[in-house]
Amino acid sequence: MVSPPELIDDAAAEIFVHLPPDEPAHLIRASLVCRQWRRIITDGAFLRRYRASHGVPPLLGFVCNLAARVDTITSPRFFPTAGPSIVPMPAFLGSSKALDCGHGRVLLGPFDDDTMARLVVLDPITGDHQIPRGYYTAAVFCAARGCAHLNCRGGPYRVVVAGAASSAGGAMRAHLYSSEAAAWVASARLIPCPHVRRKPAAVVGDDVYFQLMFADDMILRYDMGRNRLSTFHPPADAKEGGIVLLSMADGSLGLAGVRGSRLCLWSTDASPEGIAGWVRCKSIELMEKIPFMPYSEARVVGCAEGLGVVFVETEVGLFTIDLKSGRERKVSEPGNHFVVFPITSFYTPGMVAADIA
């Protein structure tokens, strides 16, 4: 028979597992009530059950490169979205700017385009960081095959860096870094090619996608399996309010952008032979979501991987739009949010010690 204390523990664990992960303060406060509750909440088996029960890691906030004045250098700043933030986010490096966020990691890079400048891969919750070497703009993502990305922050990762230097004769180069090898393991080249935009990349299977700067905007595709670069065009009507690239739930490449007063979503399939035609698969009327919004100024500046949430900046503030429900949420006052990098991760009491188990 199960003893009364064990029954109480089981009942408490059943309650705790239903606490919302996008409000980590609830679980943290519960862990401070007594030692028994803290033991339950920090137990490795409970944390694995908690993450599996809630599925996709929640949005804890986003990182944005902001400038105090027009003539000042930008610096990364963290904006919490999970209520009053008690997550101990460390101060970001003052001499760096955010380049990407992926699978619980933040990628920081230099202000200049020095080809040998250092990149930093940072766990924003624990403060742990590693330093590969690279340049231009980049993407960071989990390297574990078949990973559901519920708790992979401490696992192997990859960084893909893409850029064009004047010393390379205008050629675009992509470099692949592996944390397992602790080295840059592959490099590809494409001539001619314009510069990349420092905007979020999208990782779909073995492909990494970046936006390019050009009179006629294009998308850069880096095929990691074949170590090959190629380019293709976004939808012809998707450039009015800026775009972001994202990975769709069905494994295709997605693109979100503002057209008129509507937030539109396109998708396409990629094959070794190239990119199929774009199909508009969703449209959301923003004027119904954000009253008095001067829609001509609306632009998409980021997306939260796996959550189906995009960030739209307007003159009345920064909003998240849920692509499934169409629900909006204001997450920041008006500001120069040229691009935002969402941080999605489970955060639980004693997570560092428990995750080792």
Side-chain angles (χ1 to χ4, degrees), residues 10-354:
D10 290 344
E14 186 63 32
I15 295 173
F16 296 150
V17 81
H18 293 290
L19 292 176
D22 57 351
E23 293 294 343
H26 298 329
L27 206 58
I28 293 173
R29 292 191 184 106
S31 72
L32 298 177
V33 171
C34 62
R35 291 183 179 178
Q36 181 182 8
W37 285 15
R38 179 171 178 81
R39 177 180 55 79
I40 295 172
I41 292 173
T42 57
D43 179 69
F46 170 81
L47 292 176
R48 288 188 290 272
R49 179 188 173 195
Y50 184 79
R51 288 187 287 260
S53 174
H54 293 282
V56 179
L59 177 67
L60 298 182
F62 60 92
V63 177
C64 183
N65 297 312
L66 291 180
R69 300 189 311 272
V70 175
D71 59 343
T72 59
I73 297 177
T74 59
S75 59
R77 180 180 171 188
F78 171 71
F79 294 82
T81 59
S85 179
I86 57 175
V87 178
M89 296 288 181
F92 291 109
L93 303 183
S95 60
S96 299
K97 66 168 56 177
L99 296 178
D100 190 39
C101 288
H103 301 149
R105 303 173 180 90
V106 179
L107 185 64
L108 299 171
F111 286 115
D112 56 30
D113 288 328
D114 180 3
T115 59
M116 292 307 295
R118 296 196 304 181
L119 297 176
V120 175
V121 177
L122 172 71
D123 183 331
I125 294 177
T126 66
D128 294 338
H129 62 277
Q130 299 181 39
I131 305 175
R133 290 186 176 273
Y135 46 96
Y136 312 114
T137 195
V140 58
F141 49 94
C142 174
R145 288 287 183 182
C147 183
H149 310 309
L150 300 182
N151 184 38
C152 56
R153 296 181 352 270
Y157 64 88
R158 291 181 177 179
V159 174
V160 172
V161 182
S166 56
S167 60
M172 174 65 64
R173 293 182 180 275
H175 302 267
L176 175 63
Y177 176 87
S178 168
S179 67
E180 296 171 292
W184 298 97
V185 296
S187 179
R189 190 166 181 258
L190 182 66
I191 299 178
C193 203
H195 292 288
V196 291
R197 294 185 184 276
R198 280 184 168 167
K199 299 191 73 173
V203 181
V204 183
D206 284 337
D207 296 327
V208 185
Y209 299 91
F210 300 93
Q211 294 184 46
L212 297 177
M213 290 188 295
F214 206 54
D216 184 15
D217 286 353
M218 298 180 70
I219 297 172
L220 178 71
R221 176 189 182 187
Y222 175 55
D223 184 333
M224 291 183 289
R226 295 173 174 79
N227 192 36
R228 185 173 64 185
L229 286 169
S230 59
T231 60
F232 60 97
H233 291 278
D237 56 348
K239 306 170 187 178
E240 184 175 330
I243 62 174
V244 293
L245 306 172
L246 61 154
S247 174
M248 304 287 282
D250 62 0
S252 63
L253 173 66
L255 182 150
V258 174
R259 179 166 174 77
S261 63
R262 304 185 72 82
L263 172 64
C264 300
L265 182 66
W266 291 263
S267 67
T268 189
D269 289 320
S271 69
E273 290 72 35
I275 302 294
W278 291 95
V279 176
R280 189 190 295 191
C281 52
K282 191 151 186 97
S283 183
I284 300 173
E285 177 56 60
L286 291 177
M287 290 295 286
E288 298 175 356
K289 307 294 179 182
I290 309 173
F292 311 110
M293 184 195 74
Y295 61 81
S296 61
E297 298 297 328
R299 57 192 179 97
V300 182
V301 293
C303 64
E305 179 190 12
L307 292 176
V309 171
V310 299
F311 288 75
V312 176
E313 185 180 40
T314 75
E315 289 188 356
V316 296
L318 180 67
F319 293 80
T320 57
I321 306 292
D322 189 309
L323 294 175
K324 294 180 181 178
S325 66
R327 182 169 29 185
E328 86 289 350
R329 179 187 177 192
K330 188 174 183 178
V331 294
S332 182
E333 295 301 320
N336 185 24
H337 303 98
F338 174 72
V339 59
V340 302
F341 299 98
I343 295 177
T344 58
S345 180
F346 286 103
Y347 180 76
T348 52
M351 62 184 301
V352 178

